[in-house]
Amino acid sequence: MRKILWLVCLLPMTVMAADPDSTVPFPRGEFFGGYSYFHAGAGGGNFSGVDGSIAENLRPWFGGALEVSSHWNSGTNVSTFMYGPVFSYRKNPRITPFVHFLAGGVRGSVGYLDISHSKTTFGVAPGGGVDVQVTRNLAVRVVEVDYVLSRFSGTQQSNFRVSAGLVYRFGFRK
């Protein structure tokens, strides 16, 4: 866990040092939507669902994202709603790797990890992914992987979420 947190803290500094003021046009905002797979730790099971986010890019390398996801398995549901900083590396205009550190809520429905009623708890999700540009305004998020840490019923869960889908980009500027 400590290695992951160090990576999340050090990688953005490397990105900023490598390309603080890119001359490549970057989008002011991005909408993402796509399929998502959620593996719940501590015997919670595997879930399929959707993941979506809206991001505002303040600089070529820095922005913030609000992400919401929902996953289902046999009538059981787990959802996340989180916000946090995003650090992007835009050296190549066609390929954009990014890292983010999201924090917010994780909600489990009745039956998730044997809870008796729906419950919401605090969670964090360090992670990242890669977007590949198709057109000026459209990209494919080839992969996004997040380590979702939550705590239900006094037990810490180490969960993983993998997502892929489409990204709509708008408001380009240099």
Side-chain angles (χ1 to χ4, degrees):
M1 174 63 182
R2 286 185 182 159
K3 289 179 182 180
I4 291 172
L5 290 176
W6 274 108
L7 177 66
V8 169
C9 292
L10 292 178
L11 190 58
M13 288 184 240
T14 305
V15 169
M16 289 184 289
D19 195 17
D21 288 314
S22 174
T23 58
V24 176
F26 67 98
R28 180 160 171 77
E30 299 173 317
F31 290 112
F32 163 71
Y35 170 79
S36 186
Y37 168 82
F38 188 90
H39 173 74
N46 300 311
F47 297 77
S48 289
V50 294
D51 188 7
S53 68
I54 182 169
E56 179 183 27
N57 298 310
L58 303 173
R59 305 282 299 155
W61 52 270
F62 177 74
L66 174 65
E67 187 166 271
V68 177
S69 70
S70 190
H71 304 84
W72 304 271
N73 180 0
S74 302
T76 304
N77 174 262
V78 60
S79 300
T80 64
F81 42 96
M82 299 183 169
Y83 180 82
V86 178
F87 300 91
S88 302
Y89 185 73
R90 299 184 191 277
K91 189 78 166 176
N92 180 338
R94 300 201 48 82
I95 299 172
T96 307
F98 65 91
V99 295
H100 58 211
F101 187 84
L102 307 173
V106 179
R107 182 170 179 79
S109 71
V110 174
Y112 177 66
L113 296 171
D114 296 325
I115 58 176
S116 59
H117 61 282
S118 295
K119 190 174 189 180
T120 303
T121 187
F122 178 76
V124 295
V130 177
D131 294 343
V132 176
Q133 182 178 341
V134 177
T135 68
R136 179 175 170 88
N137 294 96
L138 185 66
V140 173
R141 181 150 299 162
V142 178
V143 68
E144 176 183 333
V145 179
D146 298 308
Y147 172 71
V148 182
L149 183 65
S150 62
R151 188 174 188 85
F152 283 95
S153 303
T155 305
Q156 178 176 307
Q157 290 81 44
S158 296
N159 311 303
F160 287 92
R161 177 177 59 202
V162 179
S163 305
L166 298 176
V167 180
Y168 176 72
R169 298 171 168 176
F170 59 93
F172 283 85
R173 64 180 177 184
K174 282 192 176 188

